Amino acid sequence: FIRIVTSERGAKKNVYKARRASQQSADRALLRKEFGRFVSSPVYLMNCGIGLIMLVGISVAAVVKRDLFAEVSAALPDSVPAGIVLLFAALIQGMLLLTNAPAAASVSLEGRWLWVVKSLPVPTVRVLRAKRMLQFLLSGAAILVSVPLLSAALSFTLPEALALAAFELALVFFLSGFALQMNLLKPDLDWVSETVPVKQDMPIALSLFGGLLFTALLLLPALLLLPVAPAWTGLTVSAALALGAGLLESRWLARKGTARFDEL
């Protein structure tokens, strides 16, 4: 027995290699944590990121089938306002962006390890900001790729393309805050499988259907202004309303949202 427990068996030793450590801000570290969680979970990645692939894919398909889209636009009756194509493109892109809502599951995914995040020496508002920023950055990158492609395919003017990009970015700013709010109000921290908070929980459904309703309401002023103003003007007004709604979400998250997170 002594010979067995005292024998030295050959084993590969880990060789320590000195590396340069880089200092980073708390916001960047929290965002890196959220991004790492997003890409490391196949369920999380596919269910909350597939809409971005579809958004870029449709824009590429529009460029490839540019002649077909031109024929469809030319076949529209004269009674249809000229800017309706721009508003329809904004609606379709908005619906695809709704499917990218990692913020609607980011709080629930902390699960029984929530105490680790709450024990970090950073203000709660920064933790929530990182969860919201993940959705905004992912969707924003897809928008900056898809809008130029879609604008080229549908022959949008520069003001129309800029108004479309501004509306989509402002919409994502609001939707990310709305999704995080839904998750704070209806968190699920007792899940066994990640599939539950990502696919089956109430916050996902609320952010999807509620976001669809808000997207339609935000585009309503642009539709009402269409007979008297260019489509890009009305879409700019809708972008301003979406930005205002997003700022209200930021205010709620900084006050009631942080208090709600601390109570979990």
Side-chain angles (χ1 to χ4, degrees):
F1 174 78
I2 295 176
R3 186 176 67 253
I4 293 174
V5 298
T6 59
S7 61
E8 295 183 1
R9 298 182 180 180
K12 185 178 180 181
K13 296 182 179 180
N14 294 327
V15 180
Y16 173 75
K17 295 182 179 179
R19 297 180 180 178
R20 185 181 181 87
S22 59
Q23 185 179 3
Q24 56 185 349
S25 65
D27 291 332
R28 185 176 179 182
L30 290 170
L31 181 60
R32 185 176 180 180
K33 167 189 170 296
E34 295 296 331
F35 185 79
R37 181 62 181 272
F38 181 73
V39 298
S40 63
S41 174
V43 176
Y44 195 18
L45 181 63
M46 290 302 298
N47 285 275
C48 295
I50 190 65
L52 302 181
I53 300 176
M54 295 175 61
L55 183 67
V56 177
I58 288 179
S59 301
V60 174
V63 174
V64 175
K65 299 293 184 178
R66 183 174 182 177
D67 296 337
L68 178 61
F69 279 88
E71 293 178 1
V72 173
S73 299
L76 292 176
D78 296 336
S79 58
V80 177
I84 197 65
V85 177
L86 178 63
L87 299 186
F88 184 72
L91 178 61
I92 294 299
Q93 283 200 312
M95 293 174 63
L96 291 175
L97 290 171
L98 285 170
T99 61
N100 174 52
S106 59
V107 176
S108 296
L109 284 175
E110 298 293 345
R112 60 180 180 273
W113 300 281
L114 180 65
W115 66 270
V116 177
V117 181
K118 297 176 67 173
S119 64
L120 295 176
V122 294
T124 304
V125 66
R126 289 191 173 187
V127 176
L128 299 181
R129 187 189 305 162
K131 295 181 180 299
R132 183 183 187 182
M133 189 59 65
L134 173 67
Q135 180 172 335
F136 179 78
L137 291 179
L138 292 174
S139 299
I143 290 171
L144 295 180
V145 173
S146 65
V147 167
L149 295 175
L150 195 62
S151 300
L154 299 178
S155 301
F156 290 156
T157 63
L158 181 59
E160 290 175 337
L162 292 177
L164 179 61
F167 173 74
E168 299 299 339
L169 290 173
L171 179 63
V172 168
F173 180 62
F174 164 71
L175 291 177
S176 60
F178 180 70
L180 184 56
Q181 180 186 15
M182 294 298 100
N183 199 194
L184 285 170
L185 295 177
K186 296 289 184 179
D188 182 6
L189 303 174
D190 300 324
W191 50 268
V192 178
S193 172
E194 290 184 350
T195 306
V196 176
V198 172
K199 297 180 62 176
Q200 303 173 5
D201 266 355
M202 186 64 69
I204 293 292
L206 291 176
S207 62
L208 179 61
F209 294 106
L212 181 61
L213 176 61
F214 281 114
T215 300
L217 291 176
L218 290 172
L219 283 173
L220 185 59
L223 184 62
L224 295 177
L225 291 173
L226 195 57
V228 297
W232 65 268
T233 302
L235 197 57
T236 304
V237 174
S238 296
L241 293 175
L243 179 60
L247 293 175
L248 291 177
E249 286 290 349
S250 298
R251 184 178 180 181
W252 186 92
L253 291 172
R255 296 182 178 181
K256 297 184 179 180
T258 54
R260 174 60 178 167
F261 187 83
D262 292 335
E263 293 174 357
L264 296 178

